Every structure is written in structure tokens, then in C-alpha cells.
Amino acid sequence: MLIFVYEAGPCGSWLYRYLTTKGYHCWVVAPSLIPQKSDDRVKTNRRDAVQLARLARSGDLTAVSVPKVEEEAMRDLTRAREETLSALKDAQLRLKAFLLRHDIRYVGRANWGPAHLRWLSEVVCPAPAQHIVFQEYVRTVTEHTKRLQRLDQELYEPVPAWRLHGVVEAMQALRGVQCTVAITMVAALGDLTRFDTPRELMKCLGLIPSESSSGERRHQGAITKAGNTHARRALVEGAWASRSPAKVSRHVPLRREKQPKIIQDIGWKAQGRLCKRYRQLSARGKHANIVTVAIARELAGFMGAIAQQLPVVA
């Protein structure tokens, strides 16, 4: 049997789809999961091809899940939004640093609100050249803000027609998992039912701790970060909601009311457990970032549990 194997990279999944439509077997493998010899410092196309062929024959390659076209389109939208949000934060930081450098300070409370924007429109710099730089910084922030709003609208519009729309809606039964976080997670991971256990899902997200053990000595370090970066970032962002005590808020019941009772029960169970877990870890003196990552790891398990309760969509 003829099998085509290539590494996942910036060229996307078009080659996989082309080969499978022709009736061939194709594996797309993650470069980070390919076994490497520590003393092998020679890299050529021929040596890489021979190595992939040998590892494929021995069964030592791990194929990654290739998304369908519509899932890849949603993934591109979420990544474009994330890149725009990062660019917006950088532009805002540059503007604030410029004002601070010239001792121009805002005395209000909230930044980037209506009052702050009105104050920015009235700022006059000491020199004309400095005022030109200031106006360019303000214009950059405005352009990124409008672009983010456009991408938000484009991100939500195709969701009702998406085959994984039901999964996105069900994920929002969890506290901290709003529409953007749910779309990012589902677009990045696809069908969550392909993971047999919650730990496999956590491993795919890079949320399990690294380990260096020998004999009776066991040492666990920071998380591996070996999974999907975009999904992990969105999940950690949603995990921050567990800082507050578990309660029936105004927004979460509205997202849960259309879901089956079993989904609602999982959502409430997750809320109570994660909030309690956050308080316990914080009381032990753990850093807030470490606590939030631990909560995100358990939140991923509840997402997998919800996906298992939904019908498989072909």
C-alpha cells in the first residue's frame, strides 16, 4: 500500500486533500512529534524523506487531525482576530508610552473608554513633529479597533450554518466560555469526541505538566505547551472567570436555557468545582497564573464531557 507522508507546516492542508481525493493514503505528522537523534545535526530534504519513510514503516509517526475546509476557514478567522487584538494592544501600549515620555497624563479611571477617547482628541503636543507622531499613533489604534469590530462580526455570522454549531452553543454552558472562546476552541480542535480520555485532550492543548523522574525521584515542572497555542490561550482566558464565587449570573442561564438538562448539569457542576478549586489552590499560596492554568486544564475536561453528550456530526 502506497502512503504519502509529509510534515505539517505553513503550506496548509491542500496537499492532503488533493491526495485523498485521488484515492491515496496520506499522513500529516507534527514536526514536534517526530523522533529525533540528539547527535543528528545534518538536515537535508533527502535525509528527511528517508527518515519519514523509516518511521512510517515502524509505526513511530503520529498523524495529526486535518481539519475540513469550513473548519479551516473558521480557524483562519479566529487567528486573524487574535492577531488583530495583539496588534491593537501593541498600538495602545506605544501610544501610552509616548504620552508618558512627554509627561502627558490622563487623570480619569478607565482607559480607552469614551471619556479617554475624548481626552485624546484634545491633547496637543509641545512640538508640531511630536503632534504628528501622536496623531499617527491614535490613527493606528482607531484602525485596529475598527478592524477588530469587523472581524468579530464576520466571526459570528457563519456560526449558525456551521456543522459544529451545536458544539459551540453547548460549550457556552460553561462559565467563562463565551462565544469567541467556544468558536476558537472548536475551530482549533475540531471534533472533541476523537479524544478517548480527558487527559488526551489536555495533552493536545499542552496543559499537562512536564515531568523529569528517575527511580523513586519524581519531579513535575511547568506545562509542556506542546499543543495548539491559540486554543490554549483562549481556554486560559476563559478560566479567569473562576476567580469569582460560583453563582447564578444573568448571562450564563441565558446561554444554558436551550441546552438539554444533562448539559446544564455539567455546566453547573463545572462552575462549582472550578471555583472551589481556585480558592483551594490560592489558599496554598500558588501564583495566580499557575492557578488559572490548572483551572484551564480541568475546564478542558468538562468541555470534553459536554462534547461526548452531543450527537456526532459528519
Side-chain angles (χ1 to χ4, degrees), residues 6-164:
Y6 71 94
E7 298 180 10
C11 294
S13 306
W14 68 269
L15 181 58
Y16 169 86
R17 299 191 183 99
Y18 174 79
L19 292 172
T20 52
T21 54
K22 295 295 183 179
Y24 297 110
H25 294 276
C26 182
W27 296 352
V28 183
V29 297
S32 60
L33 300 179
I34 298 177
Q36 299 284 347
K37 295 181 180 179
S38 59
D39 59 344
D40 189 1
R41 301 299 179 90
V42 180
K43 178 178 173 61
T44 64
N45 291 338
R46 181 179 179 84
R47 288 173 63 91
D48 288 346
V50 172
Q51 182 187 24
L52 287 177
R54 289 174 176 172
L55 293 175
R57 184 174 58 184
S58 62
D60 292 329
L61 290 179
T62 303
V64 299
S65 175
V66 179
K68 296 185 178 180
V69 176
E70 58 177 358
E71 294 173 9
E72 192 171 21
M74 293 298 298
R75 182 181 299 181
D76 290 337
L77 266 177
T78 58
R79 292 184 178 180
R81 180 190 178 277
E82 186 175 345
E83 292 169 357
T84 303
L85 182 60
S86 178
L88 174 60
K89 291 180 179 179
D90 292 341
Q92 291 174 343
L93 182 60
R94 284 192 292 268
L95 176 56
K96 292 176 68 176
F98 174 82
L99 295 175
L100 181 62
R101 191 163 61 246
H102 297 286
D103 197 27
I104 303 175
R105 303 172 184 273
Y106 176 59
V107 296
R109 290 186 176 181
N111 290 330
W112 312 113
H116 186 213
L117 296 179
R118 286 194 301 269
W119 175 80
L120 286 175
S121 64
E122 300 171 356
V123 170
V124 178
C125 297
Q130 292 173 344
H131 195 71
I132 291 175
V133 176
F134 169 73
Q135 291 294 338
E136 290 297 330
Y137 282 156
V138 173
R139 183 178 302 176
T140 303
V141 172
T142 303
E143 290 175 354
H144 285 312
T145 302
K146 293 181 178 179
R147 183 186 177 194
L148 182 63
Q149 293 173 352
R150 293 195 302 269
L151 287 173
D152 280 335
Q153 183 178 1
E154 295 294 336
L155 182 64
Y156 300 148
E157 285 183 356
V159 172
W162 191 15
R163 72 180 185 93
L164 297 176

Side-chain angles (χ1 to χ4, degrees), residues 139-253:
R139 183 178 302 176
T140 303
V141 172
T142 303
E143 290 175 354
H144 285 312
T145 302
K146 293 181 178 179
R147 183 186 177 194
L148 182 63
Q149 293 173 352
R150 293 195 302 269
L151 287 173
D152 280 335
Q153 183 178 1
E154 295 294 336
L155 182 64
Y156 300 148
E157 285 183 356
V159 172
W162 191 15
R163 72 180 185 93
L164 297 176
H165 170 252
V167 183
V168 173
E169 293 293 327
M171 291 298 178
Q172 297 180 58
L174 297 168
R175 185 182 184 184
V177 183
Q178 299 181 0
C179 188
T180 302
V181 177
I183 294 174
T184 303
M185 284 290 300
V186 177
L189 299 179
D191 185 12
L192 271 67
T193 58
R194 60 190 176 91
F195 300 101
D196 296 330
T197 62
R199 184 170 179 81
E200 290 186 7
L201 174 58
M202 300 170 188
K203 181 180 180 181
C204 179
L205 291 168
L207 289 172
I208 61 174
S210 58
E211 184 172 348
S212 177
S213 302
S214 177
E216 298 181 355
R217 172 185 168 276
R218 185 188 183 195
H219 174 73
Q220 289 185 317
I223 59 174
T224 61
K225 294 185 180 180
N228 190 291
T229 304
H230 304 277
R232 182 171 61 252
R233 185 180 294 112
L235 191 62
V236 172
E237 180 182 346
W240 281 102
S242 298
R243 292 177 298 174
S244 304
K247 63 179 181 180
V248 181
S249 62
R250 182 166 59 95
H251 302 286
V252 177

